[in-house]
Amino acid sequence: MASGVKPRVKVPKKASAGDVITIKTLISHKMESGQRKDGDGNVIPRSIINRFVADFNGENVIDVTLEPAISTNPYFQFDATVPETGEFHFTWYDDDGDVYETKKKITVS
Amino acid sequence: MGIKLISFVSALVFAGSAYAQDSNQLNVEGELFVSTTAAPSHMENVDTLYSGWHFRSGETQALQLDDFDNPGMVFVDQGIDLFAKVDGSEGKSCQSCHEDVEDFAGLRTQLPRVEDGQLVSMENLVNDCRTERMGAEAWKWSSTNMTAVTGLIGLQSRGMPMNVKIDGDAAPFWEAGKELYYTRVGQLDMSCSNCHEDNYGVMIRADHLSQGQINGFPAYRLKNAKLNSIHNRFKGCMSNIRATPFKEGGKEFKALELYIASRGEGLAVETPSVRN
Amino acid sequence: MELSRRKLLALGASSIALMGLGTSVAFASKADEAIAEFTAGAAVSEGALELTAPEIAENGNTVPIEVNAPGAVSVTVLADGNPVPNVATFNFGKLNASRSASTRIRLSKTQNVIAIAKMEDGSFQMAKANVKVTIGGCGG
């Protein structure tokens, strides 16, 4: 695992069926763009989160392709419709092959 | 002569009040913070204090209103982990003695302060604990570890008014800091007051000059996407004036920190603030 | 190779002349290429895709943007002045109600942020926002 990479998500705990809820997600990741050079003039290779996926009870909510122009600590805010009680599954894919995940439950009445 | 030159240059380079600080309300997580207040009596040339928040663009201001959106919180999270992490020969973590970090409420508002005849900043207190009680190595003044923990501790005082002691045994340090504040330095021959007292509210090239308050430190700066310590910011300012900066953690910056903290008396602690 | 000033000026003049002739293939921007790739050359309209970005970015490394395109299947965002124009592509799933998303992006200089939406009916929408990116002042 790349060091210090930690996901955080903000999902409401409760909602009514069919509600549109707002979700915020963040992952602490440097997002090394591949444009910077080190002290000796060598290019620091690109190393970024290149994909973010949010699913709910197995159905996709959003699937984002990230490029180096996404800021350090990639942040996304988006909406989701929640038809029933269930669990959000958030996944981030790193250039180096690591995969970071977190889940959040929501109770729908 | 120097002053006349600066005024002349100001007239040309600095825009007018079109860019003065705004009157937005600082509402963090639904709580209204004091971000502007009457200046304390010891400040002869300033009537009203404005938090640095007021001088930033709307988008930057918005980042501080919500703890999820606040990019500094990622580092406070790291601070929480460090607070609980065992480190050093005594097998302790900060938490071993300080069971609840919330007990630090109020500390940020009083620092720096005099203890046993010495002026101490929060970084000193952290390192004293580490070296004397945890048997751990001192952290560098502006390291990611240190700013994460001072960010966490500062957060516990968020919303509380800055209120440092400047009399009694603090007086000589405060006077020294005040003198530094008004002393011109560097190739550009400028003092802190030239920008932050005489010219706050106007643009210096593309930057909106603030009063140079420190109530929001350690601050998340967009410039380097991380938390920055007070002394590190002082160092940057001095470098900009092409002066040789004083040492982080040294007596000059600590005295200056005390004086500048007193110039923010009454402003709410905003740690971790979001600035440029 | 030593270029005399005359040679350099002559070279400069000829390349400007070429541009004037509209040899757009040689001078097509990378952003244009990326747009063409996303739309496969199809026609692009405006009005149904909203792109929100600040007029002046306080700092180019964290510029908040929002795209909003009801009825879109996906939205791709480009920055025409960045070393690489692609910024992100948002693919909306079944449970995505509003077809909108916010994020923070890096802009290396003043430029246009361009959003292209692929709609459910296969058509394309575009929106552009010019963002001024400043450097300077006493950033310390």
Side-chain angles (χ1 to χ4, degrees):
Chain A
M1 281 264 172
S3 69
V5 182
K6 237 178 149 181
R8 308 163 85 215
V9 297
K10 190 170 177 184
V11 177
K13 291 202 174 68
K14 296 198 194 104
S16 307
D19 267 0
V20 173
I21 61 164
T22 300
I23 296 176
K24 295 185 187 187
T25 70
L26 185 117
I27 186 162
S28 55
H29 192 287
K30 209 156 162 231
M31 297 292 281
E32 191 60 68
S33 64
Q35 297 291 333
R36 297 197 313 155
K37 293 200 170 112
D38 65 18
D40 300 321
N42 303 314
V43 171
I44 304 172
R46 163 186 150 152
S47 183
I48 67 167
I49 297 285
N50 59 48
R51 188 173 170 214
F52 165 68
V53 180
D55 290 330
F56 180 73
N57 285 353
E59 291 273 19
N60 182 252
V61 178
I62 197 167
D63 189 335
V64 189
T65 308
L66 291 79
E67 305 284 350
I70 294 291
S71 299
T72 300
N73 302 340
Y75 168 92
F76 293 112
Q77 180 182 314
F78 51 93
D79 294 337
T81 315
V82 279
E84 70 226 348
T85 292
E87 195 174 60
F88 280 98
H89 194 168
F90 305 99
T91 316
W92 291 260
Y93 298 86
D94 198 320
D95 272 352
D96 67 9
D98 285 338
V99 179
Y100 312 96
E101 293 173 272
T102 190
K103 298 187 170 119
K104 262 294 194 284
K105 290 197 169 77
I106 184 169
T107 310
V108 173
S109 47
Chain B
M1 243 147 342
I3 296 172
K4 282 215 183 95
L5 181 61
I6 291 291
S7 312
F8 179 63
V9 171
S10 314
L12 288 181
V13 170
F14 296 162
S17 57
Y19 293 107
Q21 63 285 354
D22 60 45
S23 50
N24 294 340
Q25 301 226 293
L26 176 52
N27 224 300
V28 179
E29 293 277 312
E31 195 189 321
L32 185 59
F33 283 7
V34 174
S35 59
T36 170
T37 189
S41 52
H42 63 77
M43 286 171 75
E44 295 131 11
N45 305 321
V46 178
D47 293 325
T48 313
L49 303 184
Y50 299 99
S51 157
W53 182 78
H54 284 293
F55 298 87
R56 305 273 58 88
S57 74
E59 293 83 19
T60 307
Q61 288 187 340
L63 290 176
Q64 206 182 309
L65 305 182
D66 175 295
D67 279 354
F68 191 92
D69 289 348
N70 186 328
M73 287 303 182
V74 168
F75 301 93
V76 168
D77 272 356
Q78 291 172 6
I80 293 174
D81 289 342
L82 286 167
F83 196 79
K85 187 171 156 202
V86 169
D87 199 7
S89 60
E90 305 305 299
K92 288 186 185 162
S93 66
C94 311
Q95 206 159 46
S96 308
C97 297
H98 303 285
E99 281 170 14
D100 194 347
V101 73
E102 287 178 21
D103 291 341
F104 283 118
L107 181 61
R108 179 75 192 82
T109 66
Q110 304 168 3
L111 294 175
R113 68 184 179 200
V114 176
E115 286 186 4
D116 295 326
Q118 300 286 349
L119 187 62
V120 297
S121 299
M122 193 182 288
E123 290 84 349
N124 292 124
L125 296 179
V126 171
N127 275 338
D128 283 348
C129 262
R130 286 184 58 79
T131 55
E132 289 167 28
R133 287 176 275 285
M134 288 166 68
E137 271 177 35
W139 279 335
K140 272 180 142 165
W141 199 270
S142 301
S143 59
T144 38
N145 287 337
M146 182 60 90
T147 51
V149 169
T150 58
L152 172 64
I153 297 174
L155 172 63
Q156 309 311 315
S157 298
R158 194 173 64 171
M160 301 171 67
M162 286 296 293
N163 187 15
V164 292
K165 186 165 169 347
I166 63 174
D167 56 7
D169 47 12
F173 299 102
W174 184 81
E175 291 291 346
K178 182 172 178 180
E179 196 177 319
L180 280 169
Y181 190 84
Y182 287 100
T183 303
R184 289 172 179 277
V185 292
Q187 288 185 323
L188 295 189
D189 198 38
M190 291 171 82
S191 67
C192 313
S193 60
N194 288 143
C195 283
H196 295 295
E197 185 172 274
D198 302 336
N199 282 301
Y200 69 84
V202 297
M203 300 299 287
I204 181 163
R205 288 198 260 152
D207 224 346
H208 195 185
L209 268 180
S210 70
Q211 287 183 334
Q213 299 288 357
I214 57 174
N215 58 308
F217 276 79
Y220 178 89
R221 294 193 64 193
L222 297 176
K223 173 192 151 91
N224 56 18
K226 62 176 193 173
L227 288 182
N228 293 258
S229 70
I230 295 167
H231 291 198
N232 188 268
R233 192 66 186 89
F234 289 169
K235 199 170 136 188
C237 273
M238 287 188 79
S239 299
N240 276 128
I241 309 302
R242 308 249 171 78
T244 306
F246 297 119
K247 195 165 156 286
E248 289 181 12
K251 63 175 170 48
E252 297 89 357
F253 275 170
K254 280 201 273 194
L256 190 59
E257 186 188 336
L258 175 62
Y259 177 66
I260 294 179
S262 78
R263 288 176 70 94
E265 188 187 309
L267 289 178
V269 170
E270 290 177 38
T271 311
S273 63
V274 182
R275 302 284 185 261
N276 194 12
Chain C
M1 173 181 118
E2 208 179 280
L3 283 174
S4 69
R5 279 184 72 199
R6 282 216 188 123
K7 254 201 179 142
L8 208 50
L9 283 171
L11 279 173
S14 59
S15 51
I16 291 170
L18 267 180
M19 281 174 82
L21 286 175
T23 48
S24 51
V25 172
F27 288 87
S29 69
K30 287 189 268 184
D32 290 331
E33 283 172 26
I35 295 173
E37 207 180 304
F38 189 69
T39 62
V44 181
S45 343
E46 294 184 14
L49 160 61
E50 203 183 314
L51 167 64
T52 311
E55 223 182 286
I56 304 176
E58 187 129 53
N59 193 297
N61 70 11
T62 310
V63 182
I65 62 159
E66 186 183 335
V67 294
N68 186 6
V73 166
S74 63
V75 175
T76 195
V77 179
L78 305 161
D80 70 6
N82 271 358
V84 174
N86 308 71
V87 177
T89 302
F90 299 96
N91 299 296
F92 300 115
K94 226 183 93 180
L95 291 180
N96 192 303
S98 60
R99 313 295 162 97
S100 64
S102 303
T103 186
R104 298 169 187 162
I105 70 174
R106 294 167 168 160
L107 296 177
S108 63
K109 57 180 185 179
T110 296
Q111 59 188 289
N112 294 312
V113 176
I114 305 167
I116 317 266
K118 183 172 175 184
M119 310 306 283
E120 275 163 1
D121 63 7
S123 67
F124 291 90
Q125 287 277 328
M126 173 157 94
K128 238 190 226 190
N130 185 266
V131 181
K132 294 193 203 345
V133 176
T134 58
I135 307 173
C138 256

